Amino acid sequence: SQKIEQNSEALNIQEGKTATLTCNYTNYSPAYLQWYRQDPGRGPVFLLLIRENEKEKRKERLKVTFDTTLKQSLFHITASQPADSATYLCALAGPRGNAGKSTFGDGTTLTVKP
Amino acid sequence: DAGVTQSPTHLIKTRGQHVTLRCSPISGHKSVSWYQQVLGQGPQFIFQYYEKEERGRGNFPDRFSARQFPNYSSELNVNALLLGDSALYLCASSTLHRDYLNTGELFFGEGSRLTVL
């Protein structure tokens, strides 16, 4: 069965630095991969999606890369701010690109210190 | 525009009881998915419904059931509650085309926090 691993449970960085989060997966070839942000006690909020034929996607201070050979996605937050502190979830789309059946990783909790 | 709404937001039950959780998707979204999120873990897929039909089921026992109504709202039912059912139950809606290919974005509600004592 497909498996997703996100790097260390917690990541602590200093304000202004770039945060890099890793998502590795096995036993699957997803049509696309998604990144979500989740604050404590809240539902996940969609951030970015990258398709299998895309190498990189950017949105403001966010950048996602997707290497289907390595089966890995990297999620970068540049010029990080304390407000970026949250848990970030990686998710693989289900069969035929069905997001409704996405498989999620356990997330990486990012803390940005002022 | 209203987002995905879930009710109740919090509830406490005892072992053996039954619970019903409700979800209203974003207007125009016909696909509703349910996820269970245990503390410290990512959301785990339970069900997907589209046009009132079950389109997928995760690895959950038969104590879990769901349905979707003509207005695309949905209910998740859990019978014979166990302590391990304590979790945040998330509902997510999305657009879903007939051939299952969709935009790829899930819109989540704030969840229903279930505590089983």
mmCIF file of all heavy atoms in Angstrom, chain B residues 12 14 16 31 43 50 53 55 75-76 86 88 90 100 109 114 116:
data_model
loop_
_atom_site.group_PDB
_atom_site.id
_atom_site.type_symbol
_atom_site.label_atom_id
_atom_site.label_comp_id
_atom_site.label_asym_id
_atom_site.label_seq_id
_atom_site.Cartn_x
_atom_site.Cartn_y
_atom_site.Cartn_z
ATOM 1 N N ILE B 12 -18.976 14.626 23.502
ATOM 2 C CA ILE B 12 -18.435 13.598 24.378
ATOM 3 C C ILE B 12 -19.437 12.459 24.453
ATOM 4 O O ILE B 12 -20.624 12.680 24.692
ATOM 5 C CB ILE B 12 -18.152 14.157 25.779
ATOM 6 C CG1 ILE B 12 -17.128 15.294 25.698
ATOM 7 C CG2 ILE B 12 -17.644 13.044 26.713
ATOM 8 C CD1 ILE B 12 -16.897 15.999 27.029
ATOM 9 N N THR B 14 -19.867 8.017 25.549
ATOM 10 C CA THR B 14 -19.287 6.910 26.291
ATOM 11 C C THR B 14 -19.220 5.672 25.394
ATOM 12 O O THR B 14 -19.919 5.582 24.370
ATOM 13 C CB THR B 14 -20.106 6.592 27.544
ATOM 14 O OG1 THR B 14 -21.457 6.313 27.159
ATOM 15 C CG2 THR B 14 -20.084 7.761 28.517
ATOM 16 N N GLY B 16 -19.703 2.330 23.528
ATOM 17 C CA GLY B 16 -20.925 1.621 23.184
ATOM 18 C C GLY B 16 -22.008 2.491 22.584
ATOM 19 O O GLY B 16 -22.945 1.983 21.970
ATOM 20 N N SER B 31 -18.940 16.289 -4.279
ATOM 21 C CA SER B 31 -18.148 15.237 -3.635
ATOM 22 C C SER B 31 -17.888 15.613 -2.190
ATOM 23 O O SER B 31 -17.430 16.725 -1.891
ATOM 24 C CB SER B 31 -16.816 15.059 -4.370
ATOM 25 O OG SER B 31 -15.965 14.190 -3.645
ATOM 26 N N PRO B 43 -4.691 13.178 8.566
ATOM 27 C CA PRO B 43 -6.039 12.691 8.293
ATOM 28 C C PRO B 43 -6.014 11.347 7.573
ATOM 29 O O PRO B 43 -5.195 11.144 6.666
ATOM 30 C CB PRO B 43 -6.633 13.781 7.398
ATOM 31 C CG PRO B 43 -5.822 15.006 7.693
ATOM 32 C CD PRO B 43 -4.446 14.507 7.965
ATOM 33 N N TYR B 50 -20.331 10.734 -3.736
ATOM 34 C CA TYR B 50 -20.552 11.607 -4.888
ATOM 35 C C TYR B 50 -21.897 11.268 -5.474
ATOM 36 O O TYR B 50 -22.172 10.090 -5.759
ATOM 37 C CB TYR B 50 -19.442 11.420 -5.919
ATOM 38 C CG TYR B 50 -19.641 12.220 -7.193
ATOM 39 C CD1 TYR B 50 -19.501 13.597 -7.181
ATOM 40 C CD2 TYR B 50 -19.963 11.595 -8.393
ATOM 41 C CE1 TYR B 50 -19.679 14.336 -8.337
ATOM 42 C CE2 TYR B 50 -20.146 12.327 -9.553
ATOM 43 C CZ TYR B 50 -20.006 13.700 -9.518
ATOM 44 O OH TYR B 50 -20.181 14.436 -10.663
ATOM 45 N N GLU B 53 -23.832 8.422 -3.949
ATOM 46 C CA GLU B 53 -23.294 7.067 -3.999
ATOM 47 C C GLU B 53 -21.911 7.017 -3.350
ATOM 48 O O GLU B 53 -21.113 7.936 -3.492
ATOM 49 C CB GLU B 53 -23.188 6.586 -5.448
ATOM 50 C CG GLU B 53 -24.534 6.367 -6.115
ATOM 51 C CD GLU B 53 -24.386 5.757 -7.490
ATOM 52 O OE1 GLU B 53 -23.253 5.393 -7.865
ATOM 53 O OE2 GLU B 53 -25.405 5.649 -8.179
ATOM 54 N N ARG B 55 -18.239 6.272 -3.205
ATOM 55 C CA ARG B 55 -17.218 6.164 -4.248
ATOM 56 C C ARG B 55 -15.926 5.587 -3.715
ATOM 57 O O ARG B 55 -15.004 5.344 -4.476
ATOM 58 C CB ARG B 55 -16.934 7.537 -4.856
ATOM 59 C CG ARG B 55 -18.120 8.145 -5.566
ATOM 60 C CD ARG B 55 -18.551 7.329 -6.775
ATOM 61 N NE ARG B 55 -19.559 8.013 -7.575
ATOM 62 C CZ ARG B 55 -20.048 7.563 -8.729
ATOM 63 N NH1 ARG B 55 -19.623 6.411 -9.207
ATOM 64 N NH2 ARG B 55 -20.945 8.257 -9.387
ATOM 65 N N GLU B 75 -23.827 12.738 6.256
ATOM 66 C CA GLU B 75 -23.744 12.303 7.642
ATOM 67 C C GLU B 75 -22.751 11.161 7.763
ATOM 68 O O GLU B 75 -22.690 10.308 6.879
ATOM 69 C CB GLU B 75 -25.105 11.794 8.136
ATOM 70 C CG GLU B 75 -26.118 12.844 8.477
ATOM 71 C CD GLU B 75 -27.397 12.222 9.036
ATOM 72 O OE1 GLU B 75 -27.491 10.969 9.057
ATOM 73 O OE2 GLU B 75 -28.283 12.991 9.431
ATOM 74 N N LEU B 76 -21.994 11.183 8.846
ATOM 75 C CA LEU B 76 -21.132 10.063 9.203
ATOM 76 C C LEU B 76 -21.672 9.485 10.496
ATOM 77 O O LEU B 76 -21.892 10.219 11.460
ATOM 78 C CB LEU B 76 -19.682 10.528 9.400
ATOM 79 C CG LEU B 76 -18.705 9.467 9.887
ATOM 80 C CD1 LEU B 76 -18.459 8.428 8.800
ATOM 81 C CD2 LEU B 76 -17.380 10.109 10.326
ATOM 82 N N SER B 86 -11.904 8.160 19.483
ATOM 83 C CA SER B 86 -11.688 9.564 19.855
ATOM 84 C C SER B 86 -10.752 10.206 18.842
ATOM 85 O O SER B 86 -9.625 9.739 18.632
ATOM 86 C CB SER B 86 -11.075 9.649 21.255
ATOM 87 O OG SER B 86 -11.959 9.145 22.227
ATOM 88 N N LEU B 88 -10.481 13.827 15.746
ATOM 89 C CA LEU B 88 -11.103 14.941 15.017
ATOM 90 C C LEU B 88 -11.621 14.372 13.697
ATOM 91 O O LEU B 88 -10.847 13.802 12.924
ATOM 92 C CB LEU B 88 -10.072 16.038 14.761
ATOM 93 C CG LEU B 88 -10.568 17.283 14.014
ATOM 94 C CD1 LEU B 88 -11.571 18.060 14.869
ATOM 95 C CD2 LEU B 88 -9.394 18.180 13.628
ATOM 96 N N LEU B 90 -13.040 15.043 10.139
ATOM 97 C CA LEU B 90 -13.010 16.115 9.159
ATOM 98 C C LEU B 90 -13.841 15.763 7.945
ATOM 99 O O LEU B 90 -13.806 14.633 7.448
ATOM 100 C CB LEU B 90 -11.569 16.384 8.714
ATOM 101 C CG LEU B 90 -10.618 16.905 9.784
ATOM 102 C CD1 LEU B 90 -9.172 16.723 9.352
ATOM 103 C CD2 LEU B 90 -10.897 18.376 10.067
ATOM 104 N N TYR B 100 -13.951 11.153 -12.530
ATOM 105 C CA TYR B 100 -13.216 11.202 -11.272
ATOM 106 C C TYR B 100 -12.042 12.168 -11.280
ATOM 107 O O TYR B 100 -11.414 12.364 -10.274
ATOM 108 C CB TYR B 100 -12.703 9.824 -10.833
ATOM 109 C CG TYR B 100 -13.782 8.841 -10.484
ATOM 110 C CD1 TYR B 100 -15.120 9.184 -10.556
ATOM 111 C CD2 TYR B 100 -13.456 7.570 -10.083
ATOM 112 C CE1 TYR B 100 -16.105 8.276 -10.235
ATOM 113 C CE2 TYR B 100 -14.435 6.652 -9.754
ATOM 114 C CZ TYR B 100 -15.754 7.004 -9.833
ATOM 115 O OH TYR B 100 -16.714 6.097 -9.512
ATOM 116 N N GLY B 109 -13.760 21.335 6.433
ATOM 117 C CA GLY B 109 -14.432 22.026 7.510
ATOM 118 C C GLY B 109 -13.521 22.071 8.718
ATOM 119 O O GLY B 109 -12.383 21.584 8.682
ATOM 120 N N LEU B 114 -14.502 14.457 18.618
ATOM 121 C CA LEU B 114 -15.224 13.427 19.361
ATOM 122 C C LEU B 114 -14.333 12.864 20.457
ATOM 123 O O LEU B 114 -13.202 12.449 20.181
ATOM 124 C CB LEU B 114 -15.652 12.297 18.420
ATOM 125 C CG LEU B 114 -16.228 11.038 19.086
ATOM 126 C CD1 LEU B 114 -17.537 11.356 19.809
ATOM 127 C CD2 LEU B 114 -16.435 9.923 18.064
ATOM 128 N N VAL B 116 -14.429 9.913 23.358
ATOM 129 C CA VAL B 116 -15.140 8.740 23.854
ATOM 130 C C VAL B 116 -14.551 8.366 25.208
ATOM 131 O O VAL B 116 -13.337 8.134 25.329
ATOM 132 C CB VAL B 116 -15.028 7.552 22.877
ATOM 133 C CG1 VAL B 116 -15.823 6.363 23.411
ATOM 134 C CG2 VAL B 116 -15.538 7.944 21.496
#
